[in-house]
């Protein structure tokens, strides 16, 4: 049930030019080494939590016990930031340094309000967090909520 949703989101984001790596988040950014198992910039997808409600039984359905769910989809945006973005840096260098924000906007335009599967509601953005790192990786996680039925 979850893997088709992740694959659908992956396929949609993968249409964006400039995104070098889109995959399920299995901890790729936790490998603190010079050789991360990603290409930059990347978007990592995770169903990071959910709450379920029972809606009854339907003996003709599989599973018989029916539920709905509210799930959190986390999209982690990361880029290796090696360029200066100070006020006196060349404009092209600053543009490159701030490219992660444009990537977030482009992905948001693709997925906000979009239903990744037939039995889901639309992805609705709920918040984002910055992950502070000491290895030159610029990382942000944007959270979307989504409902699912008959799970």
């Amino acid at each position: 049930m979850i893997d088709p949703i992740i694959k659908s989101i992956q396929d949609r984001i993968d249409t964006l030019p400039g995104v070098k790596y889109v995959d399920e988040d299995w901890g790729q950014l936790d490998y603190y080494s010079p050789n991360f198992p990603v290409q930059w910039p990347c978007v990592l997808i995770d169903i990071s939590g959910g709450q379920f409600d029972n809606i009854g039984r339907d003996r003709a359905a599989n599973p018989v016990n029916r539920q709905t769910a509210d799930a959190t989809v986390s999209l982690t945006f990361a880029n290796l930031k090696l360029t200066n973005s100070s006020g006196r840096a060349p404009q092209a260098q600053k543009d490159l340094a701030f490219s992660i924000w444009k990537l977030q906007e482009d992905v948001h335009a693709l997925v906000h309000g979009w239903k990744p599967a037939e039995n889901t509601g639309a992805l609705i953005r709920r918040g984002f967090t910055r992950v502070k790192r000491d290895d030159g990786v610029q990382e942000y996680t944007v959270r979307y909520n989504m409902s699912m039925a008959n799970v």
Side-chain angles (χ1 to χ4, degrees):
M1 157 100 226
I2 298 298
D3 60 324
I5 294 169
I6 292 174
K7 289 175 188 173
S8 179
I9 296 169
Q10 179 184 31
D11 290 345
R12 189 150 177 107
I13 294 171
D14 213 20
T15 64
L16 284 175
V19 180
K20 302 289 188 205
Y21 184 87
V22 182
D23 197 2
E24 179 182 13
D25 187 345
W26 48 265
Q28 296 94 316
L29 298 179
D30 297 332
Y31 288 93
Y32 289 95
S33 78
N35 301 314
F36 286 92
V38 300
Q39 294 178 357
W40 309 106
C42 68
V43 181
L44 303 175
I45 307 159
D46 191 23
I47 308 292
S48 56
Q51 298 292 321
F52 293 87
D53 289 312
N54 291 319
I55 58 173
R57 295 173 58 99
D58 181 350
R59 294 187 189 280
N62 185 18
V64 173
N65 295 310
R66 311 309 283 163
Q67 291 185 306
T68 59
D70 287 317
T72 300
V73 176
S74 296
L75 301 181
T76 299
F77 298 84
N79 199 11
L80 191 59
K81 186 172 181 174
L82 301 175
T83 58
N84 182 2
S85 58
S86 72
R88 295 191 181 188
Q91 188 60 47
Q93 191 172 320
K94 288 195 290 190
D95 291 345
L96 183 61
F98 290 124
S99 64
I100 196 165
W101 297 106
K102 173 79 167 98
L103 175 59
Q104 286 182 47
E105 290 172 13
D106 291 347
V107 169
H108 177 70
L110 279 178
V111 302
H112 185 73
W114 169 73
K115 296 179 180 183
E118 187 177 309
N119 66 328
T120 70
L123 291 168
I124 304 298
R125 183 174 55 188
R126 295 295 180 204
F128 81 97
T129 54
R130 175 181 171 213
V131 179
K132 286 192 173 194
R133 302 176 62 108
D134 61 4
D135 58 1
V137 175
Q138 187 178 25
E139 181 180 344
Y140 293 88
T141 299
V142 180
R143 292 174 313 283
Y144 290 84
N145 282 8
M146 169 188 73
S147 60
M148 297 184 283
N150 297 327
V151 292

